[in-house]
Amino acid sequence: MSEKKKSESSIVVVGSCNIDYFCYVDRLPNAGETVQATSFATAFGGKGANAAVAASKLNQHRVAFLGCVGDTDASTDGLEIERNFREQGVALCLLERAPGVHSGKAFINVCNATGENNIVIASGANFRITAEMVERQWRSEAFVSSILSPLLETCDSQSHGAVLCQCEVPLEASLRAFQLAKESTSSERARFINIFNPAPAPDPNDPLVSRIIELTDVLILNQH
């Protein structure tokens, strides 16, 4: 598609980025049990990163990822995550490095026969994303030049932005992102749609959840 078409929309993903470690097994282990994997693989993951890459592959949007990688990985996971984003066309202008913590990791057991899985996440740098960081990046020169200004320059019925959040980063960060999107929509004529995928499922009694949902335009629900 043409570059003009790609410039019509901007997507900001506030979320997690991981290195995923897959063990494929004939059956999932019971509590306290050890089983032998039939194969092993690694991949780039994180609900936020997956959404950003998928949006970029549509080739219709500018996509920027607002998140954190760590700086303590012996295997340079943070650098590999950044490299993958670049290769997938996701802008890194809003990505920060969190000192003294590892990048996010997910450990996934997958049953060969059924595809059922269980997952353990070591959030690491993903939980260093704060409301203050979101606000700092939202008001940064990089955000204004790459996301906000293009929206204002092409402000018509086909021109809009979206903010996408999940629950693999602190809810305070997602709430602030949605608040800023609504503020920009009302005060700067840059239209943003707030998209919320509440996964992993948050505590429904957490008051932040209801505040986020109040600001949500599109709600995407998973099985669990």
Side-chain angles (χ1 to χ4, degrees):
M1 295 186 180
S2 69
E3 189 63 28
K4 182 177 179 181
K5 178 66 175 177
K6 189 172 184 175
S7 69
E8 286 178 354
S9 302
S10 297
I11 297 175
V12 180
V13 179
V14 181
S16 59
C17 52
N18 298 331
I19 298 290
D20 291 347
Y21 299 86
F22 291 88
C23 285
Y24 294 89
V25 295
D26 288 332
R27 63 180 180 82
L28 297 176
N30 296 315
E33 182 183 19
T34 300
V35 299
Q36 182 68 40
T38 59
S39 60
F40 171 78
T42 62
F44 297 101
K47 294 184 184 301
N50 290 343
V53 170
S56 181
K57 286 184 175 181
L58 292 175
N59 201 36
Q60 295 177 313
H61 316 285
R62 293 177 302 271
V63 181
F65 185 83
L66 197 163
C68 281
V69 295
D71 69 350
T72 65
D73 304 295
S75 60
T76 65
D77 283 352
L79 294 175
E80 288 300 303
I81 290 171
E82 292 177 3
R83 178 185 60 78
N84 181 62
F85 276 139
R86 290 191 190 94
E87 290 178 352
Q88 302 296 338
V90 176
L92 299 182
C93 55
L94 309 181
L95 185 72
E96 294 191 8
R97 289 181 177 232
V101 67
H102 63 80
S103 298
K105 305 181 194 303
F107 303 88
I108 307 165
N109 297 322
V110 182
C111 178
N112 293 321
T114 66
E116 288 292 313
N117 64 69
N118 54 42
I119 304 172
V120 176
I121 296 174
S123 296
N126 291 317
F127 263 41
R128 294 290 183 89
I129 304 173
T130 64
E132 292 76 17
M133 174 192 163
V134 170
E135 178 144 10
R136 179 173 66 252
Q137 290 292 356
W138 191 277
R139 303 191 188 285
S140 69
E141 182 178 347
F143 178 85
V144 172
S145 61
S146 64
I147 300 297
L148 189 57
S149 292
L151 282 179
L152 294 174
E153 291 170 2
T154 59
C155 193
D156 55 41
S157 61
Q158 300 300 314
S159 159
H160 60 276
V163 176
L164 175 59
C165 295
Q166 312 83 31
C167 295
E168 285 186 341
V169 300
L171 293 176
E172 294 87 348
S174 297
L175 175 62
R176 190 63 189 129
F178 278 6
Q179 289 171 335
L180 289 164
K182 291 298 183 183
E183 290 172 13
S184 294
T185 297
S186 62
S187 64
E188 300 180 44
R189 305 186 321 279
R191 292 183 289 276
F192 284 94
I193 298 169
N194 288 340
I195 303 172
F196 185 43
N197 174 210
D203 179 358
N205 296 316
D206 189 327
L208 291 179
V209 175
S210 59
R211 292 177 66 187
I212 291 171
I213 290 177
E214 287 175 0
L215 297 171
T216 297
D217 299 301
V218 179
L219 185 65
I220 301 172
L221 300 178
N222 291 12
Q223 180 178 7
H224 297 295

